[in-house]
Amino acid sequence: MYIKRNLEQAFLEASTYYPVLVLCGQRQVGKSTMLNAIKEKDRRYVTLDDITARRLAENDPELFFETYGTKLIIDEFQRVPSLLLEIKKIVDEKSLSGENNNGMFWLSGSQQFRMMKSISESLAGRVGIFPLSSFSQSELESINRPAFSPKIQDLKSKPPIKSLSSVHSAYEKIFKGGMPKLNTSRIPRERFFMDYINTYIERDIHDLEQVGKLNEFYSFLVFIAARTGQELKYDEIAKGVGISAPTAKSWVSILERSGIIFILHPYYQNITSRLVKTPKVYFLDTGLASYLCRWPNAETLENGAMSGAFFETFVISEIVKSYYNAGKDLNLYYYRDIDKKEIDLLVADADGVTPIEIKKAKNPSDAGRNFPVLKKLNVPLNPALILCMADELVPYSKDSWLCPISLI
């Protein structure tokens, strides 16, 4: 069963003006499935997990492309990074001869930390890069939504996501996560994530120079999952896991580049030193995070100590996925100053900044109290949002609105 991905349209559009497209993201989020679902009849597919194809790509790149053609999907292409030089040669030769070279190669891979350096060195100006995450809730309900807009008129025009209409159903979604195989098959959740972690660590992590002891890396992964929605403090991670701070920083970079986590940077300006400059970390799939934290079921998670952190992580991840799926750059930040006044999310665009708070409650009583601190930043402020379990989009105060998470 194939569930249509919201990224398809933006990806196909880019294929009309880029010679090479790269689809990257964490393991098993459906990259190959999507590419094979949308490819033209004459586009071939090859994976470099296939030892025969890989050996040919390594030993004779020219013969590799003679064999498979140049309207091609290459999966796990980071296994032979030297292939990018041959791709550059083919793309440039076609351009110099006056032929249309757009959409020649679609590349996909889960080891983004290996891919990006090779791509930037070999294919600058010739490549469009698209991240893909696990299913968003709108994809699971077959609703094709644009990138999240905090504007009231845009929110009013959206159909709600039915599965997020109650807090209990929301935590069922948070607990399960959006991994395609979990949502399209009957595989037990525990079995899926156990195999996923083993595959990720043994295949993607094992041969990286930055990672020595795999047991330590697993402990690090659990440590980060338990701190989703919190500030990213490398000294704290190092102490908790028993590694050095530089190692902690390197491993965080691996998680970010392999699509496991999203790092939300603080909004600050050079005119003030009162703003905190420490980023926050969020897991992009709450199902994976809840598995690593050993939450036994959705009900326990909903009522547990990390309930609020997981709710916030879920909302942030859904917003991030909406940007990824639309092929748009992210303009998301958070606010915190030395007086510990914090705003969960800021969306910055040409019209100014929209402050957003995320609350698990249906009718939060203490929301928005920190919104006024933004006035000192001297930037235009749009009406604020409180993303929560409210039933409908309604005014909360003179310049803020309660917004159901079913509209994100």
Side-chain angles (χ1 to χ4, degrees):
M1 170 182 154
Y2 179 70
I3 296 177
K4 186 176 174 65
R5 304 306 302 256
N6 289 349
L7 177 61
E8 291 176 17
Q9 182 180 349
F11 190 90
L12 288 171
E13 275 182 22
S15 192
T16 65
Y17 50 80
Y18 276 119
V20 184
L21 295 185
V22 176
L23 188 64
C24 54
Q26 71 186 94
R27 184 170 290 282
Q28 294 188 33
V29 294
K31 299 180 296 295
S32 305
T33 305
M34 186 192 101
L35 294 181
N36 277 293
I38 65 174
K39 73 181 179 68
E40 311 92 330
K41 288 183 179 179
D42 59 342
R43 186 179 296 274
R44 296 185 68 184
Y45 170 88
V46 60
T47 175
L48 297 185
D49 275 344
D50 181 324
I51 191 168
T52 304
R54 186 165 72 247
R55 188 177 292 137
L56 182 60
E58 289 170 337
N59 297 332
D60 195 338
E62 286 190 28
L63 182 57
F64 175 86
F65 288 110
E66 284 179 21
T67 303
Y68 292 103
T70 54
K71 194 171 183 181
L72 185 64
I73 297 170
I74 308 176
D75 198 8
E76 299 297 343
F77 80 93
Q78 78 284 342
R79 286 180 167 269
V80 188
S82 59
L83 208 56
L84 293 173
L85 292 174
E86 187 66 23
I87 289 175
K88 177 180 181 292
K89 176 184 167 188
I90 293 169
V91 164
D92 288 353
E93 282 177 353
K94 196 149 191 174
S95 177
L96 287 170
S97 67
E99 296 180 72
N100 179 12
N101 65 359
N102 293 326
M104 293 181 70
F105 299 104
W106 294 356
L107 314 179
S108 72
S110 54
Q111 294 184 19
Q112 191 177 345
F113 36 75
R114 282 184 164 182
M115 298 185 324
M116 289 306 114
K117 185 178 179 183
S118 301
I119 291 169
S120 60
E121 289 174 353
S122 307
L123 295 173
R126 304 167 182 85
V127 61
I129 299 172
F130 292 83
L132 184 71
S133 287
S134 57
F135 284 131
S136 65
Q137 296 307 307
S138 60
E139 287 175 309
L140 288 171
E141 292 199 6
S142 301
I143 299 172
N144 193 351
R145 284 188 167 168
F148 173 75
S149 167
K151 292 180 171 58
I152 303 304
Q153 63 268 29
D154 293 336
L155 293 166
K156 284 181 176 178
S157 66
K158 281 184 173 182
I161 297 170
K162 294 175 184 176
S163 61
L164 301 179
S165 59
S166 78
V167 70
H168 302 305
S169 61
Y171 273 91
E172 290 287 346
K173 295 293 186 181
I174 291 170
F175 181 73
K176 186 175 186 179
M179 298 300 280
K181 194 169 183 178
L182 266 181
N183 286 278
T184 58
S185 74
R186 302 178 71 177
I187 187 170
R189 178 181 174 277
E190 294 288 313
R191 175 82 257 172
F192 172 81
F193 281 122
M194 182 176 72
D195 292 343
Y196 180 89
I197 293 296
N198 288 338
T199 303
Y200 174 65
I201 289 178
E202 289 174 11
R203 288 192 58 185
D204 290 353
I205 301 301
H206 180 71
D207 57 350
L208 287 176
E209 292 179 7
Q210 303 100 313
V211 178
K213 296 178 181 177
L214 296 182
N215 287 340
E216 284 183 352
F217 189 85
Y218 177 78
S219 298
F220 160 78
L221 195 57
V222 172
F223 191 92
I224 297 295
R227 280 152 184 79
T228 186
Q230 296 185 23
E231 289 186 5
L232 190 57
K233 297 180 178 178
Y234 297 110
D235 289 341
E236 183 182 285
I237 297 168
K239 185 177 179 182
V241 181
I243 55 178
S244 70
T247 297
K249 193 168 186 177
S250 171
W251 288 5
V252 164
S253 178
I254 288 171
L255 291 187
E256 182 184 21
R257 292 178 185 174
S258 55
I260 302 289
I261 61 172
F262 170 72
I263 293 178
L264 182 66
H265 292 279
Y267 184 89
Y268 64 88
Q269 297 173 319
N270 294 330
I271 58 172
T272 177
S273 60
R274 294 182 57 79
L275 302 186
V276 170
K277 299 178 183 178
T278 307
K280 293 175 73 173
V281 61
Y282 294 91
F283 260 63
L284 276 170
D285 190 84
T286 52
L288 176 59
S290 64
Y291 170 79
L292 288 165
C293 293
R294 292 294 184 261
W295 290 102
N297 52 57
E299 184 181 0
T300 308
L301 176 58
E302 180 186 341
N303 297 304
M306 294 186 69
S307 174
F310 267 83
F311 188 83
E312 181 180 328
T313 297
F314 178 72
V315 170
I316 294 287
S317 69
E318 286 292 305
I319 291 172
V320 169
K321 288 175 186 180
S322 78
Y323 279 84
Y324 286 173
N325 291 339
K328 302 287 187 183
D329 286 334
L330 281 81
N331 52 356
L332 308 175
Y333 308 90
Y334 85 100
Y335 175 94
R336 193 166 192 256
D337 59 30
I338 59 174
D339 299 321
K340 297 187 177 179
K341 291 182 177 177
E342 185 170 332
I343 298 171
D344 297 323
L345 189 65
L346 302 179
V347 181
D349 58 27
D351 296 326
V353 170
T354 303
I356 297 174
E357 279 198 8
I358 301 167
K359 299 287 186 182
K360 173 185 168 184
K362 194 168 189 174
N363 297 296
S365 58
D366 60 343
R369 64 187 177 201
N370 289 333
F371 290 158
V373 302
L374 295 178
K375 291 178 181 177
K376 65 187 177 186
L377 296 180
N378 295 318
V379 294
L381 295 177
N382 302 320
L385 294 179
I386 297 126
L387 296 177
C388 59
M389 292 307 306
D391 291 326
E392 57 183 333
L393 182 68
V394 292
Y396 181 73
S397 67
K398 181 183 175 183
D399 49 12
S400 66
W401 292 67
L402 289 182
C403 178
I405 65 164
S406 60
L407 296 181
I408 56 177

